[in-house]
Every structure is written in C-alpha cells, then in structure tokens.
Amino acid sequence: MSRLDTHNPDLQRLARPQVRQLASYNAGLSAETVRERYGLQRVAKLGSNENPLGPAPAVSTAMAQACAQVALYPDANCGLLRQALAKKLQVPTDHLVFGNGSEDLLSIISRVFLDHGDEVVTVVPSFGLHFIYPIAAGAQVIGVPMRADGSFDVPAMLAALSSKTRLLMFSCPSNPVGTTLNAAELGQLLAALPADCLLVFDEAYYEYAQHEADYPDCLGIIQASGKPFVLLRTFSKAYALAGLRIGYGIVSDPLLADLIDRLRTPFNINRVAQAAALAALADEAHLNRGLAHVASERTRMAQALAQLEVHAVPSHANFLYFATPFEAEALNLALLAEGVIVKPWREARYTRYLRVSIGSVEDNDLFLAALAKVLATEHKRTSG
Ligand SMILES: *Cc1c(COP(=O)(O)O)cnc(C)c1O
C-alpha cells in the first residue's frame, strides 16, 4: 500500500483503476541505505542478481569516450550495437529492438499488444513486472504455479491459454526459481500457441544457462517454430551493466520491431550505455570468467545451505531460491541487520521463500554466516 491509498482517497481517484490496484515493484534497498540504517561498514548486496566481477575492462574506456560527447543525442537506432548483436546472434539487423533495460521493453510490449479484457499467461512465483505492466495496460494476468519441485508445469500452462490470451510471457531460466524448460517442453508450448498470441520469452539469465547440457537452444527452437515472438535479453546481469539500463529483444518479424518502436521513447538508450554494451559484448573472456565464478560459487553455496537444512532449487542462473521454516520477511529484516540484502518473496503461498544472488566469495560468506545465525535465533525463539 502506498501513502496515497491510506491518506488521500481523492488523489488516489485521479489514477486509472488499473494503476490504483497495483502493488509497487519491490526493488529492494540500496547498500547505502542499509549501511546508514543499521550503522554498518560492510554490506553484502545479494538481492538484485548483479555481477560481482563488474564489467569488462574496456567498458570504462568506452564510457569515457562516450561521455565526451554527451552534448549530442544518442543514436536512436543503436546502429553500431545493432550491427554487432545481429552478427553475433545471426539475425537480420531489423529483427532487434532496444530498451532502457529489458524491463522497458516489457512495459512497451504491454502497451503495444494489450487492451482491456485481454489475457496474459505467466507463471508464479514470477518476475513482478510480468504482472505489473500487463495489468496497467488493462489486461488480466493468469499466473500458473510452478510445480512443487520448481519445474515449469507445461500442461497447466497449456490449459491456461484461451481465445483471449494475447501474450504468453515468462522468464527462462525462471526468475526467481532458476529452473528452465527442456526442448520437448518448449516444443509443446510452441505447438499449442494460438496464432494470435505473442510469445514473450524473457531470457535475462541466458548467458548463465547457455552451456548447460540440458539447456536447449531456445532462440533456435523458437525461430524454427514460425510463431510470433519477442525474446528478451539484457546487459544487466552477465555483462554487469545494470546501472546503465540496456536490454534488447529479438523478434520474429521486422513488423513486430516496428510496432514496438512506435511506443518507445525515441532516445531510450543513452550514448554511454550504447558504447558500454558494445565494449562488453566484445570481451568474451571476461564474460566467461563471470560465468565460471557463478557456477563454482553456486555449487558451494548450495552445499553450505544444505548443511543448514536449507535446500535450494537447482539453478541455472546467478541466484538460488529456497524456503525456510520461517516467514521470509522476518528473516529478511534479521539479515539486513547483519548487513545482508536478499530478496524475500511476497507472493501468496511463497512467503517462506528467499532468493539470494551469487556474489563475491566474501559476500557469499557473509550471507552464509548471517543466515546460519538468524536461523539459529529463529529456531530458538520458536522452540522456546
Ligand atoms: C533482471 C531481469 C530483467 C530486467 O533486466 P533489465 O535489463 O535490467 O531491465 C528482466 N527480466 C527478468 C526475468 C529479470 O530477472
């Protein structure tokens, strides 16, 4: 509930009904806020799936050069980056769209393709914006629960599709669960997708999953299906550019790119971000160092959690998702006091789940020690 809801119903009525009923996005606290609020020196920020290695070294040089030209508007077409990505992904240059973060594209897509009375099918637990933007556009979102083991319930997703479904939208690897579809499941979904339904395949964590033996070539499979799609990726996670806000989408047809471009702000990708993304894309060795770090630390953290009787869902992304016997919000507050930021889940039925990002070795250690401490405290409190 925002302050408007409680104190000033008249002001609240100024907003459209779809906006009045929305919950605010839970963006978490900054490290500065936590340091200040709890009087701490050291804070482990493990709530937003950021990359602890930072961007490739060439990024700062590229940014400095771009900074010298900030008096000029950026290239509205993201020309150089578009060419580099098209080459890397083997897609035509007019099959790409760019967003101020891929969340910008989620917002634009919702406004371009959704109208009142339309339906969107997604999964729960979910990435919050897969609900917020469609609802704001007047659509109804149907959240299909993941199975108890964290896997996608493909038959239930198929059953949720109706003649009103305009978008099938979910993340794979799943945020927050970390699980993925296999090739057969993706094929089933594509085969059942109605012709007037757009697949929005949010692959924000693609880079972390791409080399896993059981992770299919989702882009290739989706392209081969001939179905209309937007596949979203981002420079925020594996490329470590979250602070610059740049993501992109690959579309099945240039007309989809044209439709999306009609509602984006013309200069939505700033000059510095375009230069940084181009430099980040060029350094595969740096990218791979980050992926190797996440893979080894994820294994170590899952094992350490298991020793605390906490069993994380096997993850192909740079985070782990797990339940404890306690309410996540209470654990979250106790962890904040220890200088550890994680993401407590707030969706109904998942309020005992937390998501922790794979950070630096030191931050991960701080988290593990803090979690052991707060779990012991909670166990003592509830048994005494
Ligand atoms: C982080 C994330 C995004 C948003 O990424 P930005 O490019 O930073 O906006 C989109 N989808 C999912 C599932 C994410 O986890």
Side-chain angles (χ1 to χ4, degrees), residues 49 57 60 96 169 175-176 193 217 227 232 270 282 311 338 369 383:
N49 303 339
S60 51
L96 292 169
M169 174 155 80
N175 176 10
L193 202 69
D217 169 17
K227 298 288 170 104
L232 298 175
N270 71 72
H311 300 285
E338 300 292 323
S383 66

Side-chain angles (χ1 to χ4, degrees), residues 101-103 127 171 175 202 204-205 234 236-237 245:
S102 53
E103 57 188 33
F127 182 59
S171 55
N175 176 10
D202 186 343
Y205 301 94
T234 180
S236 295
K237 308 284 163 54
R245 316 305 305 122

Side-chain angles (χ1 to χ4, degrees), residues 267-348:
F267 302 103
N268 60 340
I269 315 299
N270 71 72
R271 179 175 282 283
V272 180
Q274 290 187 34
L278 195 57
L281 202 59
D283 193 342
E284 262 184 53
H286 182 79
L287 174 73
N288 288 332
R289 276 193 290 279
L291 302 183
H293 168 81
V294 163
S296 74
E297 278 295 282
R298 192 176 54 208
T299 302
R300 181 177 79 90
M301 282 172 81
Q303 286 167 353
L305 286 172
Q307 286 177 354
L308 300 174
E309 310 272 300
V310 168
H311 300 285
V313 181
S315 168
H316 277 359
N318 64 338
F319 51 81
L320 289 170
Y321 183 70
F322 58 90
T324 78
F326 310 109
E327 283 298 308
E329 201 65 62
L331 283 191
N332 178 49
L333 285 176
L335 287 169
L336 284 175
E338 300 292 323
V340 175
I341 305 173
V342 295
K343 187 141 177 165
W345 227 253
R346 290 177 180 163
E347 283 172 292

